[in-house]
C-alpha cells in the first residue's frame, strides 16, 4: 500500500509536470487554431521577421467579404469602398474582397485612404493589363493576396510598369492555390517594403527580375518557380539590416539571366530545395586564359563591358549566407554560392556545376554538408579562412 505522503509527492510531481508542459506550450511559436508556425524568426542580430496568424490563409466567408466579379470588359461590385471605371476598380478602404472571373484589359488598384489592411482573395481570376499593373497597391497598412485552395489565378502585364503585382507597402501572398505572373516588361512581383509568402504555388515569367523587394523577402512552405531575364529572386537595400532573404521549407526552381537568388545583405535557407540555372549555366562561363604564372584566370573585359555584364551567380549575398539542410542542384555561369562576407553550410545535399567557384566566401567559409558533389568548377571551395566540419565533399 502506498502511503499518503507518497500520494502527496506523486501529486506534487504531476502538478509540476503539467505546469512545465503548460509553460513550454505557451512558448511554442505556433498558432493553435491553424497549426501554422508563428512568432519571431531571428536569423541574426540584424535580421528578424515576425510571422502572425494573419499572414496565413483564413476562411474569408466568415468576414462578410465584398465580391468583385470580373466580366471581361467591365467589373461588377458593390460597396462604399470601391470605385469602378469600366474595367478598372479602385479599393478605397480596408476589408476583405473576393475576386473571380476574367478581365481582358484592366486593373485592380488598392488605395486605402483609411490606411487599413486590405485582403484580396483570388478565386480563379485571369487579369490582363496593357498599360498598367494588373494589381497595383498604392496605399494600405498591409495588403494580403490570398489564393483559394484549388484555384488557378493568372496575372499578365504587357506594359512598361514596375511590376505585374506592384506594392508600395508591405505585401503578403498566402493560400494553397496557384498564381501565375507573366511580365512582358520589367518585374513580375515587386514590393517596396516587406514581402512574405506563406504557402502557395507561384510561377513567375518576367523580362527583368522575377520577384523583387526592398526590405526583405520571407517564404514559408511555398513552391516558387521563376524564369527571368534578370535576377530570379532579389532583395536589395542600402541599409544592412534590410535587404535580406529567408526561405523556410520552401521549394524554388529558378532559371535566370542574372543571379538566381540575390540578397544585398543576409541570405538564409532552412530545409529548402533549390534547382537553379543562372546565366545559362556553367557552359556559358567566361573563357579563361593563363596568366604569366601559369595559373588560369578570367578573360579580362573592358570597364564598359563589365558594367554591361550582369552577375550570374546561383546564390549570392552581400553579407552572410547560412544554409541549414535541403537539396540543391546549382548550375551557374559564375559562382554557384557566393558571399561578400561569410558562408556557412550546415547539412544539405549539393550537386554543383559552376563556371567559376563552387562556393566562394570573401571571409569565412564553414562547411559541413551531408554531401557536396562539385561536378565542374574553376575553384571548389574558396575563402580567406576555410573550415570543413564534416560531410562528404568531392
Amino acid at each position: 500500500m502506498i502511503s499518503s505522503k507518497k500520494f502527496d509527492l506523486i501529486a506534487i510531481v504531476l502538478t509540476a509536470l503539467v505546469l512545465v508542459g503548460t509553460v513550454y506550450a505557451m512558448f511554442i511559436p505556433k498558432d493553435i487554431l491553424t497549426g501554422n508556425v508563428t512568432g519571431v524568426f531571428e536569423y541574426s542580430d540584424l535580421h528578424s521577421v515576425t510571422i502572425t496568424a494573419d499572414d496565413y490563409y483564413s476562411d474569408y466567408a466568415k468576414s462578410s467579404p465584398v465580391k468583385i466579379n470580373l466580366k471581361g470588359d467591365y467589373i461588377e461590385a458593390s460597396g462604399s469602398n470601391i470605385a469602378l471605371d469600366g474595367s478598372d476598380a479602385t479599393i478605397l478602404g480596408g476589408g476583405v474582397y473576393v475576386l473571380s472571373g476574367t478581365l481582358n484589359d484592366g486593373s485592380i488598384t488598392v488605395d486605402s485612404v483609411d490606411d487599413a489592411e486590405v485582403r484580396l482573395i483570388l478565386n480563379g481570376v485571369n487579369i490582363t493589363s496593357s498599360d498598367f499593373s494588373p494589381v497595383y497597391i498604392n496605399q494600405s497598412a498591409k495588403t494580403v493576396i490570398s489564393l483559394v485552395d484549388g484555384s488557378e489565378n493568372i496575372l499578365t502585364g504587357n506594359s512598361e510598369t514596375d511590376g505585374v503585382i506592384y506594392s508600395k507597402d508591405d505585401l503578403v501572398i498566402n493560400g494553397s492555390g496557384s498564381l501565375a505572373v507573366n511580365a512582358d516588361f520589367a518585374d513580375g512581383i515587386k514590393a517596396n517594403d516587406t514581402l512574405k509568402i506563406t504557402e502557395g504555388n507561384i510561377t513567375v515569367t518576367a523580362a527583368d527580375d522575377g520577384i523583387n523587394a526592398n526590405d526583405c523577402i520571407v517564404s514559408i512552405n511555398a513552391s516558387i518557380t521563376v524564369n527571368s531575364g534578370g535576377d530570379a529572386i532579389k532583395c536589395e537595400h542600402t541599409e544592412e539590416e534590410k535587404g535580406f532573404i529567408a526561405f523556410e521549407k520552401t521549394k524554388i526552381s529558378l532559371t535566370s539571366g542574372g543571379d538566381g537568388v540575390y540578397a544585398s545583405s543576409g541570405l538564409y535557407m532552412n530545409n529548402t530545395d533549390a534547382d537553379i540555372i543562372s546565366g545559362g549555366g556553367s557552359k556559358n562561363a567566361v573563357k579563361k586564359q593563363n596568366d604569366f604564372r601559369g595559373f588560369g584566370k578570367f578573360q579580362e573585359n573592358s570597364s564598359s563591358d563589365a558594367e554591361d555584364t550582369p552577375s550570374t551567380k546561383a546564390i549570392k549575398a552581400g553579407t552572410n549566407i547560412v544554409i541549414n539542410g535541403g537539396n540543391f542542384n546549382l548550375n551557374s555561369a559564375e559562382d554557384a554560392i557566393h558571399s561578400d562576407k561569410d558562408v556557412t553550410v550546415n547539412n544539405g545535399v549539393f550537386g554543383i556545376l559552376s563556371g567559376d567557384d563552387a562556393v566562394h566566401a570573401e571571409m569565412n567559409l564553414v562547411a559541413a554538408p551531408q554531401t557536396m558533389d562539385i561536378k565542374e568548377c574553376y575553384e571548389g571551395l574558396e575563402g580567406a579562412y576555410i573550415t570543413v566540419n564534416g560531410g562528404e565533399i568531392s
Side-chain angles (χ1 to χ4, degrees), residues 128-145:
T128 299
S129 180
S130 62
D131 59 359
F132 200 57
S133 300
V135 176
Y136 182 84
I137 302 162
N138 184 57
Q139 179 180 343
S140 70
K142 179 174 72 174
T143 299
V144 180
I145 297 177

Side-chain angles (χ1 to χ4, degrees), residues 60-70 75-84 89-100 108 118-123:
Y60 63 86
K62 298 178 181 179
S63 56
S64 300
V66 175
K67 293 184 179 180
I68 301 176
N69 300 315
L70 312 180
I75 299 173
E76 287 183 347
S78 61
S80 58
N81 285 334
I82 299 179
L84 300 180
T90 301
I91 295 172
L92 301 172
V96 179
Y97 303 83
V98 180
L99 290 77
S100 61
I108 306 297
V118 174
R119 287 181 172 264
L120 303 179
I121 312 296
L122 305 189
N123 190 12

Side-chain angles (χ1 to χ4, degrees), residues 208-228:
D208 195 6
D209 300 331
I211 299 174
N212 186 348
N214 289 341
D215 288 359
C216 72
I217 298 174
V218 178
S219 174
I220 301 175
N221 291 325
S223 176
I224 301 172
T225 301
V226 178
N227 191 324
S228 65

Side-chain angles (χ1 to χ4, degrees), residues 150-203:
S151 68
E152 295 181 1
N153 306 281
I154 304 171
L155 304 175
T156 303
N158 296 321
S159 64
E160 295 185 28
T161 57
D162 290 319
V164 170
I165 298 176
Y166 176 74
S167 177
K168 291 185 177 181
D169 293 306
D170 292 339
L171 175 63
V172 176
I173 300 176
N174 63 27
S176 57
S178 68
L179 173 63
V181 176
N182 305 305
D184 293 342
F185 296 92
D187 299 344
I189 300 173
K190 168 66 177 175
N192 279 358
D193 295 335
T194 295
L195 173 61
K196 301 175 186 177
I197 301 173
T198 58
E199 299 182 315
N201 297 288
I202 299 173
T203 301

Side-chain angles (χ1 to χ4, degrees), residues 44-47 240-241 262-268 313 315-322 335 337-345 359-366 382-386:
S44 71
D45 292 338
L46 291 176
H47 302 143
E240 190 177 349
E241 63 269 22
Y262 168 58
S264 62
S265 56
L267 175 55
Y268 312 93
K313 299 170 178 64
I315 296 172
K316 176 184 174 183
T319 56
N320 298 330
I321 294 175
V322 180
D335 298 346
I337 301 173
H338 175 102
S339 172
D340 291 339
K341 192 175 180 182
D342 300 336
V343 174
T344 302
V345 176
V359 184
H360 175 104
E362 287 293 315
M363 294 299 295
N364 300 291
L365 169 55
V366 180
E382 182 179 14
Y385 304 94
I386 298 176

Side-chain angles (χ1 to χ4, degrees), residues 37-85:
V37 177
T38 59
V40 179
F41 287 72
E42 294 185 356
Y43 297 101
S44 71
D45 292 338
L46 291 176
H47 302 143
S48 65
V49 65
T50 300
I51 302 295
T52 67
D54 286 341
D55 292 324
Y56 291 95
Y57 182 83
S58 60
D59 186 3
Y60 63 86
K62 298 178 181 179
S63 56
S64 300
V66 175
K67 293 184 179 180
I68 301 176
N69 300 315
L70 312 180
K71 297 290 189 177
D73 295 327
Y74 66 98
I75 299 173
E76 287 183 347
S78 61
S80 58
N81 285 334
I82 299 179
L84 300 180
D85 183 10

